[in-house]
Structure formats: C-alpha cells, structure tokens
Amino acid sequence: MNTTHYLVAGASHAGLEAVHRIRLVDETSPITLVTRDAHAPYSPTILPYVVSGQSAPERVVLRPADYFLQHNVTLISDNELVSIDETGKQVTLKSGDRWQYAKLLLATGADPIIPPIPGLSETPYHVLRTMQHAIDLRDHAGKVKRAVVLGAGLIGMHGAENLRHAGLDVTIVEMCDQVLPGYFDARAAAVIEHAFNANGIRMLMGSRVVRVEPLGDGCRITLENGDSLEADLLLVATGVKPQLDYLKGTSVQVDQGILVDRRMRTDAPHIWAAGDVAQAADFYGEEKVMMGILPDAVTQGAVAAMDMTEDHALKPYIGGVPINTYTFFGQQAISVGQSLADASLEELTRVDEDHGRYLKILLKENRLQGISSINQEMDAGIMWQLILRKVDLTPVKDAFIARPLETGRALMSSTWR
Amino acid sequence: MTAYNTIAFDPSRCELCNDCDACITACAQVKSGSDDPLYSRIKIVAGFNGNPPELALCRQCGDPECVKSCPSTALTKNPDTGLIDWEKSLCVDCLLCTVGCSYGGITYNATLKHVAKCDLCDGDPACVKACPSGALSYITSAGIFNEQHEREDLFVPGLSACQGCNSEMIMRHSLRKVGPDTVLATPPGCIPGMGSVGFNGTTGTKVPVFHPLLTNTASMLAGLKKQYNRMGRNVTAMALAGDGGAGDVGFQSLSGAAERNDQILFICVDNEGYMNTGMQASGSTSYGSWTTTTPVGSEMKGKRTSQKNLAMIMMNHNCEYVATASTAFVEDYYEKLDKALAASERGFAYLHIYSPCPTGWRFPSSQTIEVCRKGVETNFAPLWEYERGGDLHFTHPIDNPLPVEAYLNLSGKYRHVNAEQLACIQQQVNERVRTLKRYAGQ
Ligand SMILES: Cc1cc2nc3c(=O)[nH]c(=O)nc-3n(C[C@H](O)[C@H](O)[C@H](O)COP(=O)(O)OP(=O)(O)OC[C@H]3O[C@@H](n4cnc5c(N)ncnc54)[C@H](O)[C@@H]3O)c2cc1C
Ligand code: SF4
Ligand code: SF4
C-alpha cells in the first residue's frame, strides 16, 4: 500500500492549480497527482490549435519538466482512478496500485458525450478532449479534404475553424438555431455565423442528424430533412459530461456532475471536487451548475486546495459566472455573465454596423449582470470582478454605459491601493 | 522569496499634469513606433466624481491569474526578473488571460491582433522617463531586499512593536546591515520597549545589547568603544535611540560625544515624541501636532512651539558624518548607512531617520511608508547628508514640492490644524529648506 497526504486526480487546470495552492501553504506533506493522460500536462483548450498545426504538442506543456520534482509531487501518468474506498480512505488505480490518502481531490474533468445517433458506433469518428485526440485528428486532417463537425458549441466551433485553417472543406451541423447558445444572444451568434460562412464553412443550423454510416474511408451523414452529406472526417462535438464510474459505492452525491458546496467539498468526508467534473453554486441562482470553462476550473481548484489545507485566507466560492472570450477568424466575441435579458434586467444595446461592432450591457438595480460585445475592446476580467463584487454602478452609470472599458478600469484600479 | 523592481504611481502627482498622456505616448512610441494611445500598455484613466486618476497597468502579480488562465503557456512568470513574459509564437489569441486580470493589465490590441502587456522595457521604463510630474517612478530597491535577505536579522522574531511600526523596520534593517560585530545601546523608548533589550532573562538581539539611562547613552558607548579599542577589537558602538533619548534628555551626552568626535554610530529614530509612554510631546514634536501633553481644545490647538531640528544641530558639531533618511527611500538610506558605518570608524556618525508612528500619529498601519514618502516629497523631511569639512548635500532634492497638506492630511495628529497654523507650518518648511540650501552653498 502506498500512502500520501494529498491525492489529486486529474492534472489539468483544476488539479494543477490545487497542487500549486497546496504547496503555497504546505511545503512538506506528500502530494500525489494521478492522471489518465500519458502526455505531460496540457490544456484541453489548446487542442484545436494543435489540430491546425499552430501549436506544437511539446511546446504547450503547462508545467516545466522539473516542476513536480522540485515541489516534491509524485506524478503518476497514464494511469487512472478506478475506485474509491471512502471509509478506508483508499483509492485503486487502473494499474491495480492502491493509495491511502488523507485528503482526496477529484479534478478529472469531463469527457465527450457520444450522442445516440443510429450508425455512429459503427462509423469512424473523432472527438476532441485529449492530446492524443488532437494528434489523431491533425494527422487525419492532413490527408483528407472534407470534414463534418457535429455541434456548434465551443469545441465544435474551435474545431471547425482550425480544421478550416488546416485547409479542409468544413460543414457544421447543429441542432439549435444558433451557435454557442448560453454564451451569446442571437444577434451576436449571427455575426459569428456570418464570419464562418464568409470563411467557407457551411453552417447547417437547426439540423438534426438521424443516421451516420461508413462510406469508403469516410462516412455519410443523413439529416432529418432528408439531405445527406459525405465526409472524409467526422468530428463529434455535441457536449461533454464527467465520467464518474469510479464513484460507485461511495456517498459522493452526483447530479450532472459531482455536487459540491462552496468549499468544493463533496458529500463524502475528506473528498473534494473541482473543475469540469464538479457541479457547484451558480452566481445567479439557487441551482448548482456545470461551468465547463477554464477560469472557473482554476478558481475551483484554488478554493478546494485552500479548504484542504485549512488556509484561513479561503473565501468561499462565489458561484459560477459564464465567461467566453471567443475569437474567430480574427474577430472577437466576448461575453461575461448573463447574455439574455429577462424582465428584471435593464438592457442597453449599441450597434455599429459599419465596423461590425456590438455591445450589450445588462444591469439589475444598477449592478452589472452581464456584458457582451463583438469586436470591441473589453477587459473581461474587470467585468467579471464588477459582477462578482456586485459593484453599485449608480454613481458612474452614465459613464459606464458610454465607456464601459475606461470606467471599469478606473473602478477596479481604485481598489488596488 | 525574491523582490523585484516595479513602477509606482502617485495619483496626486498625476493629477497635476492635466492629462498630458506623456507616458501613454512614450509607451506607444517605444513599443510600436506610433503615437496612437491604442498601442500603449500603460493607461491612465480619469477618476470619477473628482477622484484622482487611476492607473491600468500590469502589476506583474506574484501569483498571476493571467498565467493560470493561459492554455498555451505563452504567459509565464519569470522568476529572475519578476516579469510576466508573453511569448508571441505560443499565443493563440484566445484572450483567456484578459479574464484572469482584474486591472486591465493585459489587453487585446485590435490593430496588432494580439494581446499586449507591459514588460517594464527591460528595466528602463520609457513611461517613467516621460512623466513630467513624477507621478510614475521606477522603484529599484528590490536589489537591497534581495541582498539583505541573505544576511541574518540580528533582532529576535516576535518583538511587540505596533502593527505598521516604522521603527521596527529601521532597527531590523540597520542592524542587519551593520552586522554582528556590534554592541548596541537602546535607551528607554519604543525600541527597548518592544522587547529588543530583552525579556524573560534573554536579550532581544543576537548581539550584545544594553539599556542605558536616557541621559548617558552616548557617554556609555564612548567608554565601551575605547575599551574595545584598547583590547584591539574592532567593534561598532551603535545606538538606536528615540528622539527624546537623543535630543531632549540625552542631549548633553550626545553633544559631548559628537564634540569629541568619538567613534560611535548613533541612529536617532524620530517619531516626534515619547510614544511608548503615552504619546507625550518632545522637542522634536512638530508645531501644531496633537500629543497627550499638547492637546487640542478651546485654547490649545496642538503644540505651540516649533520642533527643533536635531539633525542640523548635530551637523553644527562638525562631526564625521550627519545625514537624514526615510524608509520610503531605502536606497538612499542604505548608501547613508554605509557611509555612516565607515565614518564611525573615524569618529562620530549621526543618522536621523524620520519615523512616522501609526499609533501616536493616528494613521492606518498600512500607510506608514506613504506618510514617510509624503514627508519627503513635501520637503517637510528633506533628505540630505553632511561630511566633515564639506558642504551639506541634498540626496533627493525635491524641486517641485507638494503643498505640506499632502503630508499633514495623512495623520490624525494634524486633523484640527486650521488655516493659520497651516500657513505657519508651510512657512516653517520653506524656511528650513532655505536654511539647508544656504548650508548646501545654493
Ligand atoms: C476543444 C476545447 C476548447 C475549449 N475552449 C475553451 C475556451 O475557449 N474557454 C474556456 O474557458 N474553456 C474552454 N474549454 C474548456 C476548458 O478546457 C475546461 O473547462 C478545462 O480544461 C477544465 O479543466 P479541468 O481541470 O476541470 O478538467 P480537464 O481539463 O478536463 O482535465 C481533466 C484531467 O483529469 C484527468 N483524468 C480524467 N479521468 C481521470 C481518472 N479517472 N483518473 C485520473 N485522472 C483522470 C485527465 O487526464 C486530465 O488530466 C475548451 C475545451 C476544449 C476541449
Ligand atoms: S496581467 Fe493582470 S493578472 Fe496578469 S500579472 Fe498583470 S495584473 Fe496580474
Ligand atoms: S515600462 Fe515600458 S512597456 Fe511598460 S508601460 Fe512603461 S513604456 Fe510601456
């Protein structure tokens, strides 16, 4: 039996931030970091750029080679958490090794959802979540011409654009009527769709795939309206979901992800969860939500680690705020917080058709609830803070509406000293 | 932990330039060869409702959120320079770093088509050089802290000074630099009071320390030094005394030692009063100050007499070395400490360090250094040095001093000061500078 004090499962944003935070206050207790991946730690967000060839896999390693040794962290790669004995405080890895822990952090992220489309399981297709996926997709894309991407969420859109950059003919098929729902309203989504069209990506919005079948080296995709498409390469990007088989037999409560409190504690003693695997407080409502974005994985990893180390500087998690800084074909769509107005919100919109600019501010009782923009300079981090801190904009409202960038900078800078 | 050089911003000075934007233009020029403010990595933003301007600039954070949000490893914290380095060839323009930053320190430039941030111009910041009002300054004292970090702190941990105490900082810095071959005298005052002279039968220092009377510090040190000289040992005889122990009760022995040019390093930590015994006024307490013996009521409005200028009095002894110093200007202080230490081998060296006291002066403990800085920048506490036989020399001349309110407004002890008193204080400041300038041959 191996023993460790901290056992962290998952070596991506949430897990790595937790390790970093633990070492800030606890220099000595053993940390063991287990990851399923055989590659040195990387960010899933970088993968589309690996596909296009812009980023080389060996140049996007999140920690220098000697980091783990230097910080006295035992890194176990290419292995996997398969079960937890919560009373005995032990985990079993895929290799059969068992580890005794004092505190366990689950930061195992999410895996692609494979939709139940008839024929899909018999057809070769790609997903995009790991470095190996990206390398496989890149190598395949280098040899073929036509790609179809299922899903116009973050992964699908990034994937499609980068396949286009790699020189392929790309078609996106999406069930919803708009791209990136939840982050952008219909107007912003239309600008994004337009750019995709203009750059030669076919957008089949509101289309449901009813069948997929192999065809030669590629596949044929049949839509609900009877149309069919042929592709050499199929990328399935219809969402992600945590893979939680290792929780069997534990008292950890699960809904869409692992349910955690504002300290990232699960319902089981000595077990925390953070990042894409966790379902945590929403900033806006009572229901716990899946965030699935990088900055939140970092924040949650930090909160978990601070609670695990009993760091008294811990501030409980304020709740998830959707954030998207989406760049596409040289343009930027940025959205922080709520993107859709409801009756309780004051909505202010500014459109500059000539320059393709757009700005929308949502306020509630003069406090920022959400802001989204297209091709406007925008400090997403400042807006995020204004929302989280519920800064009362009453004294500066006119200035904020006229010049959100400068006003936000002045507001936040004044908190610095 | 390594300390790093950094850019400091003083909004009250920035206000004086009427939106000159010189820093912004300088940055745009040096980084992109353009005058367009869009290219600047430093932004001055107007404050609202009459508030002073604010600075949006990369703070080169210690635990940077931008770096953590970066999926490509384009951003890294450089452990040698402290800079957050950005590597263009790795960046994928995802803008996630802008989510991490709460201060607008890294922003997207639509013309360059990538993010840009301050790199401190490789240690030669163009914006600072361009700033006409002195609002931006490049703080390079990090080197001192890194160097001092290697030396041993010769005071024990856990001294019971007040939070934000300037005197504790002065003591620790000074003795660390002077080194272990020292005999230290700390006459009654905050310094022994916080435990440095000892408690529970052990001393509060890692060098021999003693607690003379207020009256005889300099004479006891003079005798000790002579005895060490006889024994052939080179030991620094050092005093850390308050302004009362130096200039009031202890003055005759101090003056005598200076007159004889005894080999002593005498450091006066001037917090303008007897703070440890309940904030009574001393001869160094400045005109108008509230203390418990110069209260504010219907008749009295704080101290009625002016402070005596002990440093100038010491200069007139024509001893080896006399200088004033402030912890807001540590590089200046360290240079003077070096000179004073060397001078104390030849004769009497006297350092007068302004030591604003958060408890007795009534300002927040976080503001100690700011009060020190404003003291210097208003010319209330000018920085100068004098070497035997030479002229007085200003080490940090202030050509455009801030009005003295900028200093007085920071401390509760001047809260009651009326217009008449204010004019009087300003006049005293002006006169003092004029006198000093005469000594400087100006
Ligand atoms: C293509 C793509 C584009 C994206 N673009 C953006 C974007 O623009 N903006 C944004 O904010 N977010 C984006 N994201 C999402 C972002 O990458 C994730 O939110 C973030 O990576 C979550 O971090 P995490 O640490 O929680 O989990 P993950 O990054 O998913 O990491 C999970 C870790 O756990 C390991 N693991 C999994 N199972 C086990 C197990 N059983 N045992 C041990 N280890 C295990 C994995 O190997 C991995 O190391 C994108 C994601 C993808 C895939
Ligand atoms: S860019 Fe922002 S978060 Fe990054 S170091 Fe600078 S101030 Fe800190
Ligand atoms: S230091 Fe250089 S890069 Fe930084 S703001 Fe000043 S001029 Fe710009």
Side-chain angles (χ1 to χ4, degrees), chain A residues 13 17 20-21 24 43 45-46 49 54-55 59-62 294-295 298 323 325 327 330 332 334 377-382 384-385 389 395-396 406-407 409-417, chain B residues 9 11 38 43 45-49 53-57 59 61 63 65 68-73 87 89-96 98-104 106-110 113:
Chain A
H13 294 288
E17 173 65 10
H20 167 71
R21 286 278 173 163
L24 285 184
S43 170
T45 305
I46 200 68
Y49 307 91
Q54 184 182 347
S55 298
R59 290 192 74 204
V60 294
V61 176
L62 290 176
L294 191 163
V298 174
I323 303 177
T325 56
T327 50
Q332 307 83 45
I334 295 171
E377 234 190 302
M378 175 69 62
D379 297 326
I382 287 180
W384 188 19
Q385 290 301 319
R389 298 175 190 209
V396 296
E406 290 77 8
T407 312
R409 284 176 184 168
L411 281 170
M412 283 309 298
S413 294
S414 69
T415 68
W416 166 256
R417 256 167 284 111
Chain B
F9 175 65
L38 208 69
K43 293 130 211 147
V45 273
F48 328 100
N49 310 332
E54 298 289 353
L55 176 74
L57 176 70
R59 266 82 172 160
C61 298
D63 192 18
E65 296 294 330
K68 296 174 186 189
S69 302
C70 177
S72 73
T73 72
E87 173 54 49
S89 70
L90 286 167
C91 182
V92 296
D93 305 317
C94 70
L95 306 188
L96 275 162
T98 69
V99 177
C101 187
S102 307
Y103 302 105
I106 184 160
T107 53
Y108 183 73
N109 179 317
K113 298 210 170 297

Side-chain angles (χ1 to χ4, degrees), chain B residues 109-441:
Chain B
N109 179 317
T111 320
L112 295 176
K113 298 210 170 297
H114 56 68
V115 291
K117 67 180 289 299
C118 168
D119 59 7
L120 286 181
C121 291
D122 286 330
D124 186 19
C127 51
V128 173
K129 283 191 284 189
C131 176
S133 63
L136 291 173
S137 48
Y138 188 51
I139 308 289
T140 52
S141 43
I144 289 181
F145 290 94
N146 292 335
E147 191 192 311
Q148 292 310 307
H149 187 75
E150 303 297 312
R151 296 168 183 259
E152 191 182 10
D153 184 350
L154 295 170
F155 283 98
V156 298
L159 297 181
S160 58
C162 302
Q163 191 171 28
C165 176
N166 200 27
S167 304
E168 181 176 6
M169 189 157 59
I170 293 168
M171 294 152 46
R172 289 190 186 274
H173 270 278
S174 305
L175 190 56
R176 212 180 194 139
K177 182 77 210 266
V178 172
D181 292 329
T182 302
V183 171
L184 179 67
T186 65
C190 290
I191 292 169
M194 70 178 77
S196 58
V197 79
F199 43 87
N200 286 349
T202 55
T203 67
T205 59
K206 300 174 197 168
V207 300
V209 62
F210 69 101
H211 191 48
L213 297 176
L214 270 173
T215 48
N216 62 7
T217 309
S219 41
M220 282 185 79
L221 277 177
L224 273 164
K225 179 67 184 175
K226 287 220 150 61
Q227 175 61 10
Y228 277 118
N229 283 349
R230 261 185 214 131
M231 290 161 67
R233 285 185 60 188
N234 187 13
V235 170
T236 303
M238 174 175 173
L240 278 167
D243 49 288
D248 290 353
V249 197
F251 186 65
Q252 71 79 16
S253 71
L254 172 64
S255 176
E259 181 212 333
R260 295 187 302 270
N261 207 18
D262 283 329
Q263 294 158 289
I264 292 174
L265 172 61
F266 199 104
I267 299 181
C268 172
V269 178
D270 178 8
N271 55 13
E272 292 196 7
Y274 296 88
M275 296 307 169
N276 67 315
T277 51
M279 300 167 234
Q280 295 88 353
S282 74
S284 294
T285 306
S286 55
Y287 169 79
S289 294
W290 168 90
T291 68
T292 50
T293 51
T294 57
V296 176
S298 55
E299 285 300 312
M300 203 170 182
K301 299 273 179 271
K303 193 172 177 237
R304 288 170 172 158
T305 54
S306 303
Q307 77 189 135
K308 65 180 164 200
N309 195 318
L310 192 55
M312 280 167 78
I313 297 170
M314 294 311 294
M315 181 182 75
N316 281 307
H317 284 75
N318 199 25
C319 53
E320 243 4 89
Y321 185 75
V322 177
T324 63
S326 165
T327 41
F329 299 88
V330 269
E331 287 165 295
D332 178 74
Y333 176 54
Y334 269 90
E335 275 174 31
K336 289 169 174 169
L337 193 53
D338 275 340
K339 288 186 187 171
L341 190 58
S344 74
E345 307 236 335
R346 306 189 298 271
F348 198 85
Y350 176 83
L351 288 172
H352 192 99
I353 311 182
Y354 305 111
S355 186
C357 161
T359 310
W361 295 23
R362 301 203 241 143
F363 57 80
S365 56
S366 61
Q367 293 301 302
T368 306
I369 298 298
E370 193 52 28
V371 178
C372 290
R373 178 173 297 116
K374 284 288 174 338
V376 172
E377 293 184 338
T378 54
N379 262 342
F380 190 93
L383 298 179
W384 53 266
E385 66 179 357
Y386 164 82
E387 278 167 280
R388 188 184 173 98
D391 279 341
L392 181 151
H393 161 66
F394 288 98
T395 56
H396 187 86
I398 305 290
D399 298 328
N400 301 305
L402 297 172
V404 73
E405 296 102 291
Y407 170 65
L408 303 185
N409 287 347
L410 297 175
S411 296
K413 72 168 178 164
Y414 298 115
R415 191 174 301 134
H416 58 279
V417 161
N418 58 32
E420 203 181 318
Q421 285 176 302
L422 181 64
C424 178
I425 296 173
Q426 185 68 62
Q427 194 189 342
Q428 286 181 0
V429 165
N430 299 348
E431 277 169 12
R432 197 182 308 148
V433 171
R434 254 203 312 279
T435 313
L436 286 169
K437 281 189 172 165
R438 272 207 304 280
Y439 278 102

Side-chain angles (χ1 to χ4, degrees), chain A residues 261-319:
Chain A
D261 66 9
R262 288 183 189 268
R263 296 168 168 264
M264 300 299 133
R265 293 182 187 176
T266 69
D267 286 289
H270 315 294
I271 305 182
W272 286 256
D276 279 14
V277 76
Q279 187 173 349
D282 181 12
F283 177 76
Y284 297 98
E286 296 304 310
E287 308 255 299
K288 291 183 178 173
V289 288
M290 302 291 288
M291 289 308 298
I293 54 171
L294 191 163
D296 227 60
V298 174
T299 307
Q300 293 188 4
V303 171
M306 290 175 88
D307 194 46
M308 291 166 80
T309 53
E310 292 163 39
D311 186 336
H312 47 242
L314 169 72
K315 291 203 192 87
Y317 180 64
I318 316 179

